[in-house]
Amino acid sequence: MSAFAFENRIWDEAETTPRDRLGKLQARRLRELVARVAEVPFYKEALARAKVKPGDIKGPDDIRRLPFTAKEDLRQHYPLGFLAVPRSQVARFHGSSGTTGKPTFVAYTADDLELWANLCARFLVAGGLRPEHTVQIAFGYGLFTGGFGLHYGVEKVGASVVPAAAGNTPRQLMLMQDLQADVLVCTPSYALNIAEVARQQGIDPRTLPLKFAHFGAEPWTEDMRKQIEAELDLIASNNYGLSEVIGPGVSGECAARNGMHISEDHFLAECVHPDTLEPVARGEQGELVFTTLTKQAMPLIRYRTRDIASLDSSPCPCGRTGARMSWVLGRTDDMLIIRGVNVFPSQIEEALLRVEGTAPHYLIEVDRPGAMDEVTVHVEVRPESFSDKMSQMQVLRDRIDREIQAVTGIRANVQLVEPQSLERSVGKAKRVVDHRREKGLI
Ligand code: DLL
């Protein structure tokens, strides 16, 4: 798709605030934020240690004087130690599922919910949503922020919602066809799952009524986008967010497709080296860090996302002035260190999608049977390319092997598996099984 394949519309004038004014607005909001969190025990202590008072904040760069907040800090103050308003002002809770079993809770006041709906409306409109659309939301509705966040965003724009929720794919197809949903909202991996189930039912996915899609909540790649757009014949946009910061609505793509505009009037973004925590040079990849400038119930200062991406604040032809973040390469906690080389699952995805005959379904298994790390990449073969002939499969395997080596620099053991043999997910896809972790080796 070329740039501006659909009309560029802007939801909120604030999205085009000139950058010098934006900087001043951020500084003022940052001062207010520091004053607001002064009674949150974690920040009270951290700000006292850093010897910073609200009046010390003169410009957005003064953010560097403030302390970081990590997921671990939220866990240590479980469940609601970061609440900055009286409990009676909380209108809703959400949470992110934790690997430890307990979620991390986030809270919203009524104003926070209103802001959230507006922020989702921003990226939805930037990605082509119009009031006349019918949007099928196939995200989980519950503690996960995907379902409710997008739901209220779509309603704010004035489009109609089909709150299908995640799962039951045959029913998704029925709803889509019977209600003529022309926009799909879910994870990119679930969109592929929907296309596959359609084919199994004898429906050509390209004949479904879908025209646009807004995907997010998991790392994916430009090649994956091409694949999904071709399979479902729609225009797919990427949007990003995380529950601790607000949920979806932190950033999203516009029609120019050159990164995801961050709503910088509400989230001050930094990109730091994950080890030194020093800012990386502009345009370099690093860990994204967000400060919630306006959130009331549970504001966070310098929250470390663990997401690796880069920032670009050069002008965008769409007129929005918010800096753009690149697509997320992956999370630092999903980064695999294989024989000393850093590898993100998204790089394996990129390599696989370059090879014709492979399906975009894969699972990376890592182990250390002896002294060395070993990586096995299980890759599904497309039904039309699957063959009993060893020689044909060997050629395919060799090509994948070469591509993985070219993209990541590591040798992997490639296992071709039959079509539809890997587990499908209805939400965030699980791409990695690391046996080294189970064995306590990492
Ligand atoms: O996934 C919020 C969300 C819902 C975003 C729906 C977009 C759409 P969490 O469950 O807290 O919140 O997970 C947040 O998901 O730190 C990233 O690692 C990843 N993530 C979210 N969006 C993207 C994206 C929601 N567009 C974590 N690309 C984040 C890559 C993403 N990764």
Side-chain angles (χ1 to χ4, degrees):
M1 188 188 85
S2 61
F4 290 102
F6 55 93
E7 189 203 349
N8 173 43
R9 265 198 224 169
I10 291 175
W11 171 252
D12 183 349
E13 259 187 30
E15 293 174 76
T16 59
T17 308
R19 287 201 67 81
D20 54 339
R21 265 189 30 218
L22 188 59
K24 286 186 191 132
L25 178 71
Q26 286 183 322
R28 177 169 60 76
R29 290 185 165 172
L30 192 55
R31 273 193 296 277
E32 288 165 4
L33 170 70
V34 172
R36 213 162 57 233
V37 298
E39 290 314 310
V40 175
F42 173 84
Y43 288 124
K44 191 173 186 173
E45 236 175 74
L47 290 169
R49 238 182 293 128
K51 299 192 174 58
V52 190
K53 296 200 181 56
D56 299 336
I57 309 290
K58 308 277 187 257
D61 287 344
D62 290 323
I63 185 85
R64 293 183 58 190
R65 305 181 53 185
L66 300 176
F68 285 96
T69 312
K71 178 101 176 173
E72 199 40 44
D73 299 319
L74 301 185
R75 288 218 185 91
Q76 275 173 12
H77 294 79
Y78 180 87
L80 295 171
F82 274 77
L83 202 60
V85 294
R87 176 71 191 250
S88 58
Q89 287 182 23
V90 175
R92 199 194 301 163
F93 293 103
H94 279 283
S96 70
S97 53
T99 36
T100 53
K102 291 225 178 193
T104 309
F105 292 121
V106 285
Y108 302 75
T109 63
D111 284 351
D112 290 337
L113 291 176
E114 178 61 20
L115 167 69
W116 190 20
N118 259 304
L119 294 176
C120 287
R122 285 185 183 184
F123 79 73
L124 285 164
V125 169
L129 186 67
R130 304 291 177 255
E132 57 273 23
H133 285 150
T134 300
V135 187
Q136 184 151 331
I137 300 185
F139 269 135
Y141 279 69
L143 280 184
F144 176 55
T145 51
F148 282 102
L150 268 296
H151 184 103
Y152 288 104
V154 171
E155 285 192 352
K156 183 63 90 186
V157 176
S160 35
V161 183
V162 182
N168 196 344
T169 314
R171 186 163 147 274
Q172 300 277 357
L173 289 165
M174 180 199 75
L175 292 171
M176 208 176 276
Q177 289 176 309
D178 293 353
L179 296 172
Q180 289 292 298
D182 44 10
V183 181
L184 177 63
V185 164
C186 58
T187 56
S189 58
Y190 189 47
L192 282 173
N193 195 342
I194 291 175
E196 184 174 71
V197 173
R199 280 191 297 272
Q200 284 163 6
Q201 295 195 347
I203 305 167
D204 175 356
R206 297 180 59 86
T207 64
L208 291 170
L210 300 174
K211 294 193 186 73
F212 288 91
H214 303 269
F215 297 133
E218 65 181 4
W220 56 314
T221 56
E222 282 280 10
D223 288 322
M224 180 73 98
R225 161 150 73 188
K226 282 195 203 110
Q227 178 94 34
I228 299 174
E229 289 189 327
E231 284 195 22
L232 283 156
D233 190 23
L234 47 71
I235 294 174
S237 299
N238 193 4
N239 70 85
Y240 166 91
L242 60 164
S243 15
E244 293 83 356
V245 172
I246 200 159
V250 175
S251 69
E253 264 184 319
C254 66
R257 289 194 161 187
N258 51 12
M260 293 183 274
H261 286 282
I262 298 169
S263 280
E264 283 192 290
D265 46 344
H266 297 281
F267 308 111
L268 201 156
E270 297 171 86
C271 189
V272 303
H273 189 288
D275 298 328
T276 64
L277 300 183
E278 287 300 317
V280 298
R282 211 65 184 169
E284 298 268 300
Q285 287 197 332
E287 179 179 343
L288 296 179
V289 171
F290 290 105
T291 297
T292 66
L293 294 172
T294 51
K295 243 176 39 163
Q296 301 290 323
M298 209 178 265
L300 295 180
I301 294 178
R302 303 190 92 189
Y303 184 70
R304 293 188 56 186
T305 63
R306 296 169 188 253
D307 291 322
I308 300 294
S310 58
L311 294 178
D312 177 2
S313 49
S314 64
C316 179
C318 76
R320 290 176 185 81
T321 50
R324 283 153 286 147
M325 56 179 270
S326 64
W327 286 41
V328 176
L329 180 64
R331 295 179 56 79
T332 48
D333 30 11
D334 288 342
M335 184 183 79
L336 299 164
I337 304 179
I338 311 290
R339 302 186 286 267
V341 180
N342 297 351
V343 179
F344 283 99
S346 63
Q347 293 176 297
I348 305 259
E349 177 175 303
E350 188 188 325
L352 297 179
L353 286 166
R354 285 187 190 171
V355 182
E356 213 175 303
T358 59
H361 301 288
Y362 61 96
L363 183 73
I364 305 163
E365 214 178 337
V366 191
D367 205 352
R368 192 182 295 160
M372 298 283 269
D373 295 325
E374 282 184 9
V375 185
T376 306
V377 183
H378 303 265
V379 189
E380 272 188 24
V381 179
R382 289 190 172 280
E384 61 279 15
S385 307
F386 198 72
S387 157
D388 290 334
K389 290 209 189 81
M390 288 292 281
S391 56
Q392 276 182 22
M393 291 292 95
Q394 187 60 45
V395 171
L396 189 58
R397 196 161 36 225
D398 288 348
R399 276 215 55 203
I400 298 173
D401 191 10
R402 277 199 302 277
E403 288 294 346
I404 292 180
Q405 215 177 336
V407 177
T408 66
I410 59 154
R411 283 298 293 270
N413 168 22
V414 177
Q415 290 277 339
L416 299 181
V417 299
E418 284 185 34
Q420 274 135 45
S421 57
L422 295 178
E423 199 185 325
R424 300 291 188 260
S425 105
V426 298
K428 298 179 190 250
K430 184 170 169 57
R431 304 292 194 193
V432 180
V433 177
D434 198 333
H435 298 294
R436 297 174 304 178
R437 207 176 292 279
E438 297 148 25
K439 293 177 179 171
L441 296 172
I442 52 168

